[in-house]
Amino acid sequence: MLSLYHEARSPVHRSPAGAKLAVLLAVGTGLFFVRSIAALGAVLLVVALCYAVAKVPARVGLRQLRPVLPVLIAIVIAQLVLTGWVTAVLVGQRVLVLVALANLVTLTTRTSAMIDTVEAVLRPLRPLGVRPERVGLLVALTIRFVPVLKEQADQVRAAHRARGLRGTRFLTPLLIKTLRLADGLGSAIEARGGPD
Amino acid sequence: MIELENVHHDYGDHKVLGGISLTLAEPRIAIVGANGSGKSTLARLLNGLLLPTSGRVRVDGLDTKKDGKAIRRKVGFVFQDPDIQIIMPTVAEDLDFGLKRHGLTRERRAAKVTAALLEHGLDQHRDHPAHLLSGGQKQLLAIAAVLITDPTHLVFDEPTTLLDLPNRHRVTRLITGLTQQVVLVTHDLDLAATADRVIVLDHGTVFADGPPARSIDAYVALHTA
Ligand SMILES: Nc1ncnc2c1ncn2[C@@H]1O[C@H](COP(=O)(O)OP(=O)(O)OP(=O)(O)O)[C@@H](O)[C@H]1O
Ligand SMILES: [Mg+2]
């Protein structure tokens, strides 16, 4: 879901990050008032159209959806068992629209623009003790380090498998690695001038 | 100029540096020593990332205990592992990270980022995720992102240890071409030999200090006895 910027010249890329985030928020809220499969299907089509306008190839868009598929399927099956097929389809459609739109925003917005927006939105809260630069840094670090953590997890798991170990025992070395990474990262941020 | 006055450093009750006094004025100084001898600890004291348990570290007259922020602007630090040093998701954004705190205009920053991308052969990777770069490119990016903020001193902690031969040469060439004062922690004795002065650490004290050939001979002798 934490896809990265996909370079292209398009009106979607040119739109201000704040506007895109506002649309995402509005659609995200509005979705829960739409209760028809056909209407949500139409919304999905519009989202697909937005991808086309943004010149994001279908291959790239679908690749970004893949990681959420297991979760999506689990949710749909749970709904199917608990409430019946109509709700299951509705819920599946809503999640799909949300994830696809969120991905589209990240694919067409540079992280720096996103962070600037987050910081601008939070600036009025400064008197309440909110530090906008810190929140911005947190957003950046999340996007930067999720793939790194995933790589580490894969490595540790592979090393365990190579030694014939099974189960969840790889979690301890992974935790240690992650803590070490966090510690080093703290020094690096400080060395590079910190968030303020 | 960086001055250390009778610097001790402990981690809890583990004494790592025991009474180091040095005046670092030469343009290029290398620090060598066995694993655990205290090189990284010493390096981190130089820009106030660590504060001495006792004693004093001063950079151009500023004390790391009082002026940490100002000192970190002067003293750039390059870590062994670029994976922890690169903070922002893409190459250009990471180059911009340090600049943001220097009060430059957006245009001026963009110009500096573009110049740095070209200078370090990273212009093809401007918007690429940093984690997809090769190890050598990551280290080049980490160094470029420090240089872009125009520090007057640079501390490198084993900058070539994780690199293959071609990248080691590339980073070495970059470091030897720098005009800033350089303090370089390394296990690469050929690289150390290019410095003006080599300091050998052993169990947290200065074992030898002087011209490269003499210091390196002393270091080699120490560990072949
Ligand atoms: N954060 C820490 N907490 C506790 N002990 C530490 C910490 N960092 C380092 N040490 C210990 O201090 C000693 C010196 O470590 P330091 O990293 O300075 O050595 P080094 O010369 O850089 O070694 P290397 O060549 O392996 O990088 C080691 O015994 C190490 O285990
Ligand atoms: Mg070290």
Side-chain angles (χ1 to χ4, degrees):
Chain A
M1 218 183 313
L2 293 161
S3 47
L4 272 171
Y5 189 65
H6 178 83
E7 176 80 72
R9 294 172 153 276
S10 87
V12 184
H13 285 76
R14 274 193 299 276
S15 312
K20 282 183 270 192
L21 289 172
V23 169
L24 181 60
L25 199 66
V27 173
T29 317
L31 272 182
F32 291 90
F33 298 101
V34 185
R35 298 212 163 86
S36 118
I37 292 178
L40 281 174
V43 174
L44 267 174
L45 270 182
V46 173
V47 172
L49 200 67
C50 290
Y51 270 79
V53 173
K55 297 187 184 148
V56 176
R59 176 178 48 81
V60 175
L62 291 175
R63 189 173 59 212
Q64 304 298 347
L65 282 178
R66 210 167 40 199
V68 278
L69 272 187
V71 181
L72 183 67
I73 292 171
I75 292 176
V76 170
I77 290 178
Q79 291 292 338
L80 205 57
V81 174
L82 295 173
T83 57
W85 71 272
V86 177
T87 320
V89 173
L90 284 176
V91 170
Q93 283 177 314
R94 284 187 193 128
V95 173
L96 205 56
V97 168
L98 261 186
V99 173
L101 261 194
N103 280 345
L104 185 62
V105 174
T106 30
L107 282 167
T108 59
T109 316
R110 287 176 203 273
T111 319
S112 46
M114 204 108 77
I115 291 166
D116 288 347
T117 309
V118 171
E119 290 185 7
V121 169
L122 294 179
R123 210 156 289 143
L125 300 182
R126 206 190 277 275
L128 300 177
V130 176
R131 307 277 288 276
E133 316 76 25
R134 302 213 164 187
V135 182
L137 182 63
L138 194 66
V139 174
L141 288 176
T142 308
I143 298 175
R144 156 93 177 95
F145 282 97
V146 163
V148 175
L149 290 177
K150 183 179 175 306
E151 224 159 81
Q152 284 198 347
D154 291 347
Q155 273 174 21
V156 172
R157 212 163 3 189
H160 265 235
R161 227 175 276 134
R163 289 159 56 199
L165 299 173
R166 286 170 180 284
T168 53
R169 257 184 300 174
F170 75 98
L171 286 173
T172 313
L174 182 61
L175 185 68
I176 292 169
K177 262 189 134 170
T178 307
L179 289 176
R180 203 172 289 151
L181 175 71
D183 184 47
L185 197 60
S187 306
I189 292 171
E190 195 177 355
R192 294 188 61 188
D196 20 56
Chain B
M1 186 162 74
I2 304 179
E3 296 159 282
L4 294 92
E5 274 175 46
N6 196 23
V7 167
H8 291 256
H9 191 81
D10 313 338
Y11 294 107
D13 47 14
H14 179 27
K15 297 189 191 324
V16 173
L17 294 181
I20 294 193
S21 295
L22 291 167
T23 299
L24 306 176
E26 294 77 2
R28 296 175 37 72
I29 297 169
I31 299 175
V32 299
N35 291 134
S37 55
K39 304 179 298 297
S40 297
T41 304
L42 179 62
R44 283 160 184 251
L45 284 162
L46 301 181
N47 72 340
L49 275 182
L50 287 177
L51 297 174
T53 309
S54 71
R56 201 143 62 141
V57 179
R58 277 183 301 184
V59 179
D60 295 338
L62 300 174
D63 190 321
T64 55
K65 278 192 179 152
K66 291 184 214 126
D67 303 302
K69 271 227 148 87
I71 285 176
R72 281 188 285 278
R73 276 192 173 210
K74 283 171 163 291
V75 185
F77 198 104
V78 176
F79 295 81
Q80 175 178 344
D81 183 357
D83 260 327
I84 64 155
Q85 175 145 8
I86 300 169
I87 293 169
M88 296 296 279
T90 69
V91 174
E93 286 165 352
D94 193 67
L95 288 169
D96 193 44
F97 176 83
L99 285 182
K100 262 189 155 174
R101 277 132 202 103
H102 283 244
L104 299 172
T105 63
R106 198 175 278 268
E107 292 71 37
R108 186 83 198 85
R109 269 163 42 203
K112 286 195 85 151
V113 168
T114 303
L117 287 167
L118 283 170
E119 186 181 340
H120 299 283
L122 293 168
D123 45 317
Q124 301 293 314
H125 304 289
R126 174 182 271 276
D127 291 311
H128 286 186
H131 77 276
L132 295 183
L133 296 177
S134 73
Q137 288 169 329
K138 280 184 193 170
Q139 190 58 294
L140 284 175
L141 170 60
I143 297 174
V146 169
L147 291 177
I148 201 169
T149 61
D150 296 321
T152 47
H153 312 258
L154 287 153
V155 178
F156 292 89
D157 191 357
E158 300 192 38
T160 58
T161 303
L162 300 176
L163 302 181
D164 64 9
L165 198 59
N167 281 304
R168 194 170 305 172
H169 286 318
R170 176 140 202 201
V171 168
T172 300
R173 237 180 303 137
L174 174 60
I175 294 173
T176 47
L178 292 173
T179 54
Q180 291 94 334
Q181 185 186 27
V182 171
V183 178
L184 175 71
V185 172
T186 183
H187 289 295
D188 178 350
L189 296 182
D190 293 330
L191 181 55
T194 66
D196 303 307
R197 170 180 173 189
V198 174
I199 297 167
V200 181
L201 283 189
D202 183 44
H203 293 97
T205 57
V206 175
F207 174 76
D209 180 4
R214 228 178 49 208
S215 292
I216 291 171
D217 283 352
Y219 177 48
V220 172
L222 172 69
H223 292 285
T224 41

